[in-house]
Amino acid sequence: MKLILLGAPGAGKGTQAERIAKVLNVPTISTGNILREAIRNGTEIGLKAKAFMDKGALVPDEVIIGIVAERVAQPDCAGGYILDGMPRTIPQAQALEAKGICMDAVVSIEIEDAVIESRMTGRRVCSGCGASYHISANPSKVEGICDTCGKELIIRKDDTPETVKNRLRVFHAETEALKDFYASLGRLKLVDGDQDIDDVTREILTAIGVEA
């Protein structure tokens, strides 16, 4: 099962990706993480990405696509994977298809902007491993401490109200168009994200034809 989760910032994509990955027994591929890994490992395409980042420039789509292609070719992806944070735009989606990275299903987690804005204020991220938490919906066992690595949980700068509003504007202007793209390919599934985390997980599994 090759799956993409779409949704606005704060819609719960990261949390649901972790849960669905466990059920399907496939890796979750975060573009941010594999970009850093490619740079750390000094792969050819990782060095290309580093050259752009060192200049403070955005990494071009073709480099990001190349890094994703490298990652999904690894043995642990043979049974499928979940793409997290990619694609964000129509050109990226088209480039994935052109590379033969074709998804079985694309799940859009639907949620109102007002709900997103209230959610983001409670979000916390591990300063060490990057794990995501929420002070009410998905709290850590010890307040302010990551369950996985024990490092401090922090509030990201992009979770401030002004930044959240701007990110939502960008999402609606660019990323939301992906729904139409994947709907035209017959792969889009819509899921209500404004409900309990367990219920969202069950609805996603039902949408992709997996028994919860």
Side-chain angles (χ1 to χ4, degrees):
M1 173 72 72
K2 291 175 285 185
L3 181 66
I4 289 172
L5 296 184
L6 295 180
K13 296 186 300 296
T15 298
Q16 292 301 331
E18 286 178 19
R19 289 169 151 244
I20 302 301
K22 284 178 184 172
V23 175
L24 300 179
N25 195 27
V26 297
T28 297
I29 299 173
S30 159
T31 47
N33 289 345
I34 62 172
L35 186 59
R36 287 186 288 273
E37 186 181 344
I39 291 168
R40 193 165 54 245
N41 292 341
T43 68
E44 182 182 348
I45 206 147
L47 293 173
K48 280 186 186 175
K50 186 175 186 298
F52 286 100
M53 293 168 74
D54 285 349
K55 289 186 286 190
L58 288 173
V59 180
D61 281 356
E62 62 265 24
V63 177
I64 295 288
I65 298 294
I67 286 172
V68 171
E70 270 186 358
R71 178 65 184 86
V72 301
Q74 292 177 20
D76 66 330
C77 291
Y81 46 83
I82 297 173
L83 277 187
D84 179 13
M86 173 80 183
R88 293 185 185 277
T89 63
I90 296 291
Q92 287 181 355
Q94 292 169 331
L96 284 175
E97 294 285 322
K99 275 271 191 186
I101 304 171
C102 303
M103 299 298 115
D104 295 311
V106 178
V107 175
S108 177
I109 301 174
E110 302 284 296
I111 193 159
E112 295 289 330
D113 284 3
V115 177
I116 292 288
E117 289 175 31
S118 66
R119 278 187 180 185
M120 300 287 259
T121 58
R123 190 156 71 171
R124 302 291 182 270
V125 179
C126 177
S127 57
C129 68
S132 294
Y133 297 88
H134 192 280
I135 55 174
S136 58
N138 183 34
S140 56
K141 291 182 177 126
V142 177
E143 186 178 346
I145 301 296
C146 178
D147 294 345
T148 305
C149 71
K151 294 286 178 67
E152 181 188 5
L153 301 182
I154 58 172
I155 301 171
R156 303 190 312 180
K157 287 180 182 174
D158 57 3
D159 286 342
T160 62
E162 309 78 36
T163 309
V164 169
K165 286 180 190 297
N166 186 56
R167 291 174 71 199
L168 286 169
R169 276 194 295 272
V170 171
F171 167 75
H172 290 302
E174 296 179 359
T175 316
E176 203 168 48
L178 287 167
K179 290 200 288 187
D180 293 333
F181 175 79
Y182 285 115
S184 72
L185 297 176
R187 299 182 200 154
L188 183 68
K189 316 286 183 184
L190 302 181
V191 165
D192 177 12
D194 191 11
Q195 53 183 331
D196 181 80
I197 290 175
D198 290 337
D199 292 333
V200 176
T201 304
R202 276 192 289 271
E203 197 169 324
I204 292 172
L205 292 172
T206 300
I208 63 176
V210 175
E211 277 200 32

